[in-house]
Amino acid sequence: MQKSGLKPILWNDEKLILLDQRVLPGSASYLTATTMEDVIHAIREMAVRGAPAIAITGAFGIALYLNGCSSKPSYSELNKKLTELLESRPTAVNLRLAIEEFLSRFPEKSYSQTTLSDLKNGAETFALFMLEEDLGNNLALARNGLSLFPNSPSDLHIVTHCNTGALATAGHGTALGVIRSLRDAGHSVTVYADETRPYLQGARLTAWEMKEEGIPAYLITDNMAGWLMSTRKVDAVIVGADRIASNGDTANKIGTYPLAIVAKHHGVPFYVAATEKSMDFRIPDGSHIPIEMRKESEVTTFSFLKDENGKPLLDEGVIAPAGMEALNPSFDVTPASLISGIITERGIVSPVNETNLRKMFPETT
Ligand code: MRU
């Protein structure tokens, strides 16, 4: 199966090179991170974003931190750093799972026998493994997604929200990965990409990926889904996930929940595409998922994307009166009852409920 040639995360000569997603689609330029602080900044400011990409970047952040240590950090110093990293963005569970997996390779009880060189090598190996693992999982997930569209080849019209493509992952993508693979399998696919206010991941990033790949796509504003589904053929909605609770409630980019309601009303199947790394079996339902609140200026202006010197990265555009208060939850939770199926690297979970999720991932805690 063909995979996207986009490389948003590169590890080169012990430096982390990230495609700066804040300046897309204006320019495709890379930034270099050499410390954990650089990595935290890149995640917080969303130079890198998307749950899997955040986790992989965080893993390289651990490698950068350890490479910068001249002596072995104590276990509590190491944990303090990892907590700082974890706090960079709270909603997606992928970063927490990555940190826990790294720590499980260096448990406290044997830490005194671990050398700094073991830690450095272990962190680099782990981060590179995550990069490879995510790409493999995305390709497997996308292959499984094909089974939902058995009439082949067919003319498919798919709505997606936010950006879940190569930019948000190690490559290929989750929801966009399914779309890519449908096209590669010979379907004629047309994408309706929600612009995804306020950060415009759909307009700036998904639209860019679709153009780069030559997949026919229309950009729509987030409030057009009702019109679209009542006037045109829509075969499915496919979105990604930042965290899936035990019962299947799914946190994803703000605007996903109303999209699921509109899809339900119109009888359009609504799929979530996500790997095991987005599952959180420690929480019973979506009410336990922390929702990141971001700056009001992301809602009140189009000029919130600024460079290090405060210069707008996009054209200036204030769209609300000075001093206007705004709410900016970055994610919402779609109840499991609105989700037709969860497309994973192991298969499709449907109906979406705790029994079926646990059956698909029996060893996941
Ligand atoms: O705020 P973002 O851009 O990090 O939000 C991204 C999303 O909500 C994606 O849908 C999700 O992380 C899945 S990406 C494969």
Side-chain angles (χ1 to χ4, degrees):
M1 189 175 295
Q2 201 178 321
K3 48 187 186 199
S4 156
L6 275 177
K7 291 251 179 290
I9 304 170
L10 299 161
W11 181 245
N12 194 357
D13 202 15
E14 301 196 345
K15 290 190 185 72
L16 184 62
I17 323 278
L18 299 170
L19 183 59
D20 188 347
Q21 301 190 30
R22 296 168 304 171
V23 295
L24 282 170
S27 68
S29 65
Y30 283 81
L31 60 85
T32 303
T34 56
T35 63
M36 171 71 101
E37 285 63 39
D38 290 346
V39 164
I40 290 174
H41 187 257
I43 294 175
R44 229 181 238 144
E45 295 305 312
M46 292 171 70
V48 60
R49 31 66 49 202
I54 290 170
I56 296 162
T57 303
F60 281 111
I62 303 173
L64 290 173
Y65 163 63
L66 291 165
N67 285 349
C69 290
S70 48
S71 59
K72 188 177 111 180
S74 68
Y75 210 65
S76 73
E77 278 167 347
L78 176 64
N79 271 280
K80 193 166 161 265
K81 268 283 165 222
L82 298 183
T83 305
E84 280 170 33
L85 173 63
L86 183 59
E87 285 167 355
S88 55
R89 292 201 71 196
T91 299
V93 75
N94 308 52
L95 179 58
R96 189 190 78 198
L97 295 181
I99 291 173
E100 287 176 359
E101 197 175 329
F102 170 75
L103 279 177
S104 74
R105 295 175 177 218
F106 297 101
E108 188 169 14
K109 57 179 182 330
S110 54
Y111 194 68
S112 60
Q113 287 108 60
T114 304
T115 65
L116 179 58
S117 154
D118 292 338
L119 284 171
K120 286 181 179 177
N121 292 335
E124 182 173 353
T125 306
F126 174 61
L128 290 169
F129 164 76
M130 280 195 64
L131 204 52
E132 217 179 287
E133 184 191 41
D134 187 57
L135 183 56
N137 282 344
N138 289 344
L139 291 169
L141 174 163
R143 210 175 305 122
N144 291 333
L146 298 181
S147 66
L148 295 168
F149 306 91
N151 298 332
S152 183
S154 57
D155 189 25
L156 298 174
H157 293 75
I158 296 176
V159 176
T160 192
H161 191 69
C162 195
N163 173 267
T164 59
L167 291 169
T169 60
H172 203 69
T174 55
L176 274 196
V178 175
I179 288 169
R180 275 196 169 94
S181 292
L182 284 166
R183 189 274 312 263
D184 295 345
H187 293 277
S188 154
V189 184
T190 302
V191 173
Y192 293 110
D194 276 356
E195 69 170 344
T196 318
R197 278 273 288 152
Y199 213 77
L200 307 174
Q201 289 94 330
R204 296 190 302 106
L205 309 176
T206 297
W208 185 75
E209 284 200 44
M210 295 299 90
K211 279 263 170 222
E212 289 281 300
E213 288 252 347
I215 296 178
Y218 292 95
L219 180 62
I220 58 171
T221 60
D222 299 341
N223 51 6
M224 291 181 187
W227 169 83
L228 189 76
M229 290 183 204
S230 58
T231 59
R232 294 198 177 189
K233 171 177 172 303
V234 175
D235 299 283
V237 177
I238 313 180
V239 299
D242 288 84
R243 193 187 295 227
I244 300 173
S246 302
N247 70 344
D249 290 353
T250 296
N252 190 51
K253 179 51 52 196
I254 191 74
T256 303
Y257 174 33
L259 183 60
I261 295 173
V262 174
K264 180 85 166 183
H265 182 76
H266 289 279
V268 172
F270 182 93
Y271 298 113
V272 169
T275 74
E276 182 193 8
K277 310 289 177 181
S278 295
M279 308 290 164
D280 189 351
F281 285 115
R282 291 178 221 181
I283 53 171
D285 58 55
S287 66
H288 297 259
I289 301 177
I291 300 296
E292 174 187 5
M293 298 296 286
R294 293 188 62 85
K295 287 179 285 209
E296 293 179 35
S297 60
E298 292 179 1
V299 174
T300 55
T301 79
F302 276 129
S303 61
F304 58 84
L305 287 158
K306 300 211 167 79
D307 71 12
E308 307 306 317
N309 306 313
K311 187 173 163 296
L313 293 164
L314 299 174
D315 285 343
E316 196 77 43
V318 176
I319 57 162
M324 183 65 200
E325 286 182 81
L327 295 175
N328 190 9
S330 199
F331 301 92
D332 58 24
V333 175
T334 302
S337 58
L338 295 177
I339 303 172
S340 317
I342 301 182
I343 309 166
T344 79
E345 70 278 28
R346 298 201 188 170
I348 314 283
V349 178
S350 179
V352 178
N353 56 41
E354 180 158 2
T355 310
N356 287 341
L357 275 167
R358 286 196 187 272
K359 220 184 273 170
M360 190 65 84
F361 299 101
E363 72 290 353
T364 311
T365 49

